[in-house]
Amino acid sequence: MTTFSNRITKLFGTDYPIIQAGMIWASGWKLASAVSNAGGLGIIGSGSMYPDVLQEHIRKCKAATSRSFAVNVPLLYPDIDKHIQIIIEEGVEIVFTSAGNPKTWTGVLKERGIIVVHVVSSSKFARKAEEAGCDAVVAEGFEAGGHNGREETTTMVLIPAVVDAVKIPVIAAGGIATGRQMLAAMVMGAEAVQMGSRFVASEEASSHIAFKNAVIGSQEGNTILTMKQLTPVRLIRNKFYQQLAQAEEKGATVDELKELLGRGRAKKGMFEGNLDEGELEIGQVSSLLDRILPAGDIVKKVWQEFREGLQNPILIL
Ligand SMILES: Cc1cc2nc3c(=O)[nH]c(=O)nc-3n(C[C@H](O)[C@H](O)[C@H](O)COP(=O)(O)O)c2cc1C
C-alpha cells in the first residue's frame, strides 16, 4: 500500500500519519508494537504503570518492533521523575506528554534529543506547548475518551483554531475512528490523527474483554463527560457513573467525590472488567464501533478508507 509523506510521518519515521493513543490499562507493548509494525505510531501508556512495569514494556516493545514507537507520560503522575529517567535510559525516541504543564519536562527531554509532543484541549495551551519547545501538538476535542478539557471544545472547532494558533504540526484527536473522519480532520489542517477508542477495540489492547465488548456494544449517548470538579473524564454511563452523578447532584464536596472515586476504579473497570463498579473511559466514537480487530488491520483499514475518501471526497447523489 502506498506510503505517505508530511511533517508528521517525517518526524516519527512512520508510513502513515496514524497514531494509536497512549491509554491507561489498554496500550502496553503488544498494542504499541502491532501498530508500529503496521506503519503507524504505537504509544505505550505509562499512566497505569509502576516504573519497573514501564521499563519491561519498553524493552518488550523494542524487541517486538524495529519501527519507532512512543511513550505517553501524563505529567501529573506521582512517580514522574522515575518514568522520565527510565525513558531516557532505555533510549525512547518519542514522548507524548499530557495533563500538565509542558514547560517542566520538555527541555529536559529535548536536551537528550527526544521528540516531544504535548496533548492540548485549547489554542491557548497549544501556544504554550509551542513556546515550551514541543515538536507537535495533539489537539484533543470534547468527544474524546478519557481525561478531557473543561471548555468542551469539539474536535470540529478545535482543529482549525489550533492549526491557526501554532506553526508546529497538529495531530487531531477525539471522535476519529474511520478513514473518512481522518480525511475530514486533515482537510481542516491536521497533519495526522491520534485514535484511542478505536484501538481499545483491538485484539492487542490489554483491556478486559468485557470492557471491549461494552465498547463495541455502546450506542449514541452512552458516554458522558463528567467529574468536572476534579478532572473531567469521558466515560460510559454505568452504575458507578450514576453514583457519581447522584453525589454531585446532592452537592458533594471535592473531598467526598475523591472518596467515592477511591483508588483503582479505572483498573477495576477497564482492566478487571467490573462493568458496574469500575470507571469505563471511552469516547463518543465508540457508538460507531462494532468489531474487535487486530490492531494492524485497523491501521490498514483506516488508511484504505482515507485513500478512497481522498479520491471521492464528497457524495454526489
Ligand atoms: C481507555 C482510555 C484511556 C486513556 N488514557 C489516557 C492516558 O493515560 N493519557 C492520555 O494522554 N490520554 C489518555 N486517553 C486519551 C487518548 O490518548 C486519546 O487522546 C483519545 O482517546 C482520543 O479520542 P478517541 O477516544 O475519540 O479516539 C485515554 C483514552 C481512553 C479511551
Side-chain angles (χ1 to χ4, degrees):
M1 206 185 291
T2 338
T3 55
F4 178 91
S5 180
N6 69 4
R7 287 196 292 175
I8 287 290
T9 58
K10 282 184 204 148
L11 186 66
F12 299 146
T14 57
D15 296 339
Y16 315 119
I18 296 176
I19 297 159
Q20 161 256 309
M23 294 179 286
I24 53 164
W25 303 116
S27 65
W29 70 271
K30 273 190 195 157
L31 179 55
S33 60
V35 170
S36 291
N37 282 333
L41 183 75
I43 307 186
I44 296 173
S46 76
S48 49
M49 296 177 181
Y50 290 116
D52 57 327
V53 175
L54 172 62
Q55 185 172 48
E56 189 187 325
H57 278 262
I58 293 171
R59 288 184 178 173
K60 285 189 170 161
C61 202
K62 282 195 279 195
T65 183
S66 56
R67 306 297 304 263
S68 50
F69 67 91
V71 174
N72 166 242
V73 183
L75 295 169
L76 301 175
Y77 186 85
D79 256 342
I80 184 155
D81 301 54
K82 287 188 191 145
H83 272 26
I84 298 279
Q85 196 187 331
I86 286 168
I87 283 166
I88 292 168
E89 278 170 16
E90 292 296 328
V92 171
E93 290 167 0
I94 308 166
V95 170
F96 279 48
T97 55
S98 55
N101 186 347
K103 263 192 188 164
T104 324
W105 289 102
T106 303
V108 175
L109 296 166
K110 299 261 344 149
E111 265 171 28
R112 283 148 180 98
I114 297 173
I115 295 165
V116 183
V117 179
H118 190 63
V119 182
V120 300
S121 58
S122 70
S123 326
K124 187 176 114 193
F125 291 138
R127 275 191 290 268
K128 284 192 172 172
E130 185 171 53
E131 280 162 22
C134 292
D135 298 279
V137 284
V138 175
E140 190 197 56
F142 171 68
E143 302 92 324
H147 291 282
N148 209 308
R150 280 195 172 75
E151 289 159 350
E152 304 196 352
T153 310
T154 59
T155 300
M156 195 80 173
V157 173
L158 183 66
I159 301 310
V162 173
V163 167
D164 271 356
V166 295
K167 292 195 175 63
I168 52 178
V170 177
I171 299 162
I176 300 164
T178 70
R180 278 196 170 263
Q181 289 173 314
M182 173 176 172
L183 181 58
M186 292 181 74
V187 168
M188 291 193 289
E191 293 182 51
V193 291
Q194 168 170 291
M195 297 185 290
S197 300
R198 187 69 191 87
F199 285 105
V200 171
S202 71
E203 287 177 4
E204 292 86 348
S206 57
S207 333
H208 196 282
I209 186 67
F211 174 49
K212 293 184 193 181
N213 284 332
V215 169
I216 59 171
S218 181
Q219 307 293 315
E220 279 174 38
N222 280 175
T223 73
I224 187 164
L225 186 73
T226 186
M227 284 203 281
K228 290 189 200 154
Q229 287 188 68
L230 294 173
T231 44
V233 62
R234 180 172 294 283
L235 39 68
I236 294 179
R237 297 169 186 262
N238 64 348
K239 190 176 153 204
F240 163 64
Y241 163 71
Q242 302 298 347
Q243 289 167 358
L244 264 184
Q246 275 168 14
E248 278 184 327
E249 219 169 273
K250 284 184 192 146
T253 62
V254 167
D255 284 340
E256 281 164 352
L257 287 176
K258 274 189 188 159
E259 200 182 314
L260 177 59
L261 187 60
R263 287 178 63 84
R265 284 278 187 178
K267 183 180 184 189
K268 191 177 270 180
M270 297 187 277
F271 195 65
E272 295 169 359
N274 187 332
L275 301 185
D276 285 336
E277 299 299 332
E279 181 184 329
L280 306 173
E281 297 181 13
I282 207 71
Q284 287 187 350
V285 81
S286 53
S287 67
L288 297 184
L289 306 176
D290 56 11
R291 268 198 298 167
I292 297 166
L293 294 172
D297 290 4
I298 294 173
V299 174
K300 290 197 188 91
K301 191 171 184 303
V302 169
W303 182 246
Q304 191 168 341
E305 290 166 356
F306 171 81
R307 301 271 308 171
E308 285 166 8
L310 201 54
Q311 276 159 20
N312 221 347
I314 54 169
L315 299 172
I316 300 172
L317 299 174

